Amino acid sequence: RKAANLRPLDSRMWCAMAGCYENLKRPGEAINCYQRAEVHGDDGIATSKLAQLYQEMKQPHKAAQYYAKFISLHAAEEPQESDRDALLFLANYYKQEGCLDHAEQCCIRLLNFPGPEKEDGKSILQEIQAIRMSK
């Protein structure tokens, strides 16, 4: 807390404090700190952590909001390991919400990854196709 008070505009200090709150099982305080970090020049770490915390707290709309923001921060770059969980969550979220075009876009990006996420992306694409055919 002292470091964040000494350097209130340094997002790293807020992320460090948020991590401490996470370890103490205090997600509300962690969220507040990550939000402060996000305001002060987040490079995606705080945004990703906010999405994960909201997902753990069973708040899918907030989680989707932060995962989408996280993905948009890296849109111009090559897909990264950290994008996989976000894309998989968003693909399922958008499918459940009926936003099939967005879900499909997430799945297509998942196909660029090796491993189970690629297979999950294929599976969700098949579900989307079945939903579209049933309409």
Side-chain angles (χ1 to χ4, degrees):
R1 180 170 280 175
K2 198 173 200 175
N5 288 334
L6 290 172
R7 300 187 71 177
L9 302 179
D10 190 341
S11 65
R12 295 170 300 167
M13 299 304 150
W14 289 108
C15 283
M17 195 158 86
C20 292
Y21 281 127
E22 280 189 87
N23 290 335
L24 294 171
K25 307 288 188 238
R26 295 168 61 180
E29 288 94 338
I31 285 172
N32 290 337
C33 291
Y34 283 129
Q35 287 173 334
R36 293 279 301 265
E38 186 184 31
V39 169
H40 296 298
D42 177 36
D43 59 357
I45 294 169
T47 305
S48 173
K49 287 292 203 170
L50 282 164
Q52 291 169 9
L53 282 170
Y54 280 120
Q55 184 179 358
E56 289 170 11
M57 294 172 65
K58 308 288 188 244
Q59 295 185 30
H61 300 300
K62 286 262 192 188
Q65 174 187 349
Y66 282 104
Y67 276 132
K69 187 173 184 179
F70 175 74
I71 291 296
S72 71
L73 289 172
H74 301 284
E77 302 171 8
E78 286 291 316
Q80 299 176 9
E81 295 278 326
S82 56
D83 294 343
R84 286 192 292 194
D85 291 336
L87 288 167
L88 187 56
F89 177 88
L90 286 171
N92 283 304
Y93 173 80
Y94 288 137
K95 183 186 72 165
Q96 290 173 349
E97 292 294 310
C99 302
L100 300 181
D101 291 338
H102 291 304
E104 185 176 44
Q105 289 172 3
C106 292
C107 290
I108 290 169
R109 290 186 65 188
L110 279 170
L111 297 178
N112 294 324
F113 292 99
E117 291 82 5
K118 181 176 185 171
E119 297 306 314
D120 290 339
K122 287 179 185 178
S123 175
I124 297 168
L125 280 172
Q126 289 173 345
E127 291 172 29
I128 291 169
Q129 187 177 31
I131 292 168
R132 285 184 173 151
M133 293 179 94
S134 69
K135 287 186 178 181

